[in-house]
Amino acid sequence: MNKSSLVLLALLFAGCGPWFHAASTAPPGRRASLDTKDRAIELSVGVALAFSCTKVGPCRGAAAVSDDPSIAEVHEAHLNELGTDVWRGNLPASTFVVVGMSPGQTTLRVRSKDGDKTLSVTVLPVAPPTVADRGLTDRPGPAGDAMLAR
Amino acid sequence: MTRSIPLFVPPAGSAAPGAAAPGVTSPPGRILRKRLAAAALSAAALLAGCGTGGMGQVAVSRECGAGRSCDRSALDVPIAIGARLTPALFAAVKGSAMPALTMRSAAAGVLAVERGQLVGVAPGASAILFATPEGTVIDFLHMWVARASRLELRVELADHTPLGSAATSIDLLVGDELHLTAAVFSDAQRLGGDFELALESSDASVAVLRGVTPERRRLIARSPGQSTITASALGLETTLTITVQP
């Protein structure tokens, strides 16, 4: 392999990961999503989303900060599971929780031994009340999310 | 006859606790064990009327004394504005007991945290973060707050066994006792949380005594006569007529 191929390979690896994946869901009528490809998070105000940082396995020594904590806070989280790194074996999951504090846009900066990345965060205002907000009516919904009891 | 139909929604975030995120691989046996443990935690949480955190590691229920009727304060219903709830936290972190946890609200204007209690402030939803004193989040739970629109009186036995909704007119004999609590609703949805129930008797034939908990009152038929009992809580009112027979 010649020198230019090595440089190209290094550049390719440099552009790969870390990757971020959502690890929780939104409550009914609210938004909480993470687009792994675009590294974009959408959250409703008052909603929290857990996400993991991985490269070959869990990110090592990862830390995250928010450019504007008044819009979105980010916290280190403990997720009780191991991820497999093909080189290093089982490592503890690298997880964070982002919380929508007020409407707006900001950036999360994640630093780790596996590389540094940014994620854009859009915090959405609370939408008009949905069926779930107004109080579910008199029968279970088709999604089976509600049950009746006397 | 109308009948109240409380609605319960399975705890948010209980669908995939402990599942490996895409890109995080785990041996199949470990995934199965974690899913089974998470499913067991969710099932126990649902049966107990409590919530499971979005990360599947903390189950939250209402702190509840022995024998005390806790059904109206479960965490799988919205908390009424003005009501308070003291949560009890149970960990499902393998290999570790629950560390000391602090609670923090993502939207304190909706659901506030005051001295370890959750207080309904305004309609909406808020995540409650459960974190170690150092700030590491162990789990979170999205909770809802709603405005109560209806107050309903409930009858209990002395041992707190709930008997159901109180009739609008009740006959008692001198010396009889009646234990009353209250439930609040937003449309069809029963709301949770503790709140103070105030009862006033229009006539000396029925005495109202404070109960051992703020939401419970004891009525005693003292002498023949008729009394209108006015109940108020969270800005709502309802009445009950009690006739004491000689």
Side-chain angles (χ1 to χ4, degrees):
Chain A
M1 190 176 284
N2 60 29
K3 192 174 178 182
S4 59
S5 298
L6 283 172
V7 170
L8 182 63
L9 200 60
L11 285 173
L12 280 173
F13 267 101
C16 290
W19 303 99
F20 304 97
H21 301 277
S24 67
T25 56
R30 299 292 193 267
R31 295 293 299 270
S33 65
L34 190 162
D35 183 322
T36 298
K37 179 174 171 288
D38 294 341
R39 295 201 306 275
I41 292 172
E42 269 193 359
L43 281 175
S44 300
V45 169
V47 169
L49 173 74
F51 67 92
S52 61
C53 175
T54 61
K55 194 164 184 183
V56 181
C59 294
R60 295 164 302 145
V65 292
S66 169
D67 277 1
D68 190 346
S70 71
I71 292 176
E73 288 185 354
V74 65
H75 303 275
E76 184 187 342
H78 172 86
L79 190 60
N80 185 33
E81 68 179 38
L82 297 172
T84 303
D85 182 316
V86 293
W87 305 112
R88 296 181 176 83
N90 291 337
L91 297 175
S94 174
T95 314
F96 299 93
V97 170
V98 58
V99 184
M101 303 303 291
S102 63
Q105 289 193 316
T106 188
T107 301
L108 300 187
R109 300 181 189 279
V110 180
R111 292 177 166 241
S112 76
K113 291 178 182 173
D114 297 300
D116 301 344
K117 290 285 181 186
T118 60
L119 296 98
S120 68
V121 182
T122 304
V123 179
L124 306 165
V126 174
T130 64
V131 171
D133 292 331
R134 290 196 296 267
L136 296 159
T137 51
D138 60 352
R139 61 185 62 213
D145 284 345
M147 294 181 290
L148 300 181
R150 263 192 66 191
Chain B
M1 179 180 174
T2 59
R3 180 172 286 164
S4 300
I5 307 175
L7 299 169
F8 301 95
V9 178
S14 64
V24 179
T25 55
S26 295
R30 184 181 303 141
I31 292 176
L32 182 62
R33 281 197 301 275
K34 285 189 73 67
R35 286 186 176 165
L36 285 173
L41 178 66
S42 299
L46 187 58
L47 289 172
C50 58
T52 306
M55 295 164 66
Q57 300 188 128
V58 174
V60 191
S61 70
R62 177 198 178 198
E63 188 68 61
C64 191
R68 187 177 176 192
S69 174
C70 286
D71 60 336
R72 73 183 171 81
S73 290
L75 280 163
D76 51 2
V77 295
I79 296 178
I81 291 176
R84 291 174 169 269
L85 192 144
T86 305
L89 309 177
F90 305 94
V93 179
K94 192 170 65 178
S96 172
M98 174 67 83
L101 291 183
T102 60
M103 286 194 299
R104 180 145 177 266
S105 173
V110 172
L111 184 62
V113 176
E114 292 178 5
R115 284 181 286 184
Q117 288 188 313
L118 302 171
V119 184
V121 178
S126 174
I128 299 296
L129 305 183
F130 306 105
T132 64
E134 296 77 32
T136 301
V137 174
I138 303 296
D139 213 333
F140 57 85
L141 182 66
H142 291 106
M143 299 186 66
W144 297 80
V145 179
R147 189 179 303 282
S149 58
R150 181 163 59 89
L151 174 67
E152 188 177 290
L153 287 173
R154 301 286 175 107
V155 183
E156 284 186 353
L157 295 178
D159 67 359
H160 294 265
T161 303
L163 295 180
S165 303
T168 52
S169 183
I170 296 175
D171 287 352
L172 296 177
L173 295 173
V174 174
D176 279 353
E177 286 188 5
L178 197 60
H179 297 270
L180 292 178
T181 64
V184 289
F185 294 81
S186 170
D187 198 356
Q189 175 69 63
R190 191 173 179 175
L191 304 181
D194 293 330
F195 50 83
E196 186 149 353
L197 171 65
L199 289 185
E200 275 189 26
S201 174
S202 66
D203 187 82
S205 58
V206 177
V208 177
L209 301 178
R210 284 194 294 265
V212 291
T213 56
E215 70 275 14
R216 184 166 144 131
R217 292 289 181 267
R218 184 158 65 120
L219 273 58
I220 299 178
R222 301 182 66 182
S223 58
Q226 190 175 68
S227 174
T228 299
I229 305 296
T230 303
S232 57
L234 301 177
L236 301 168
E237 243 183 46
T238 190
T239 58
L240 166 69
T241 302
I242 294 183
T243 303
V244 181
Q245 304 288 359

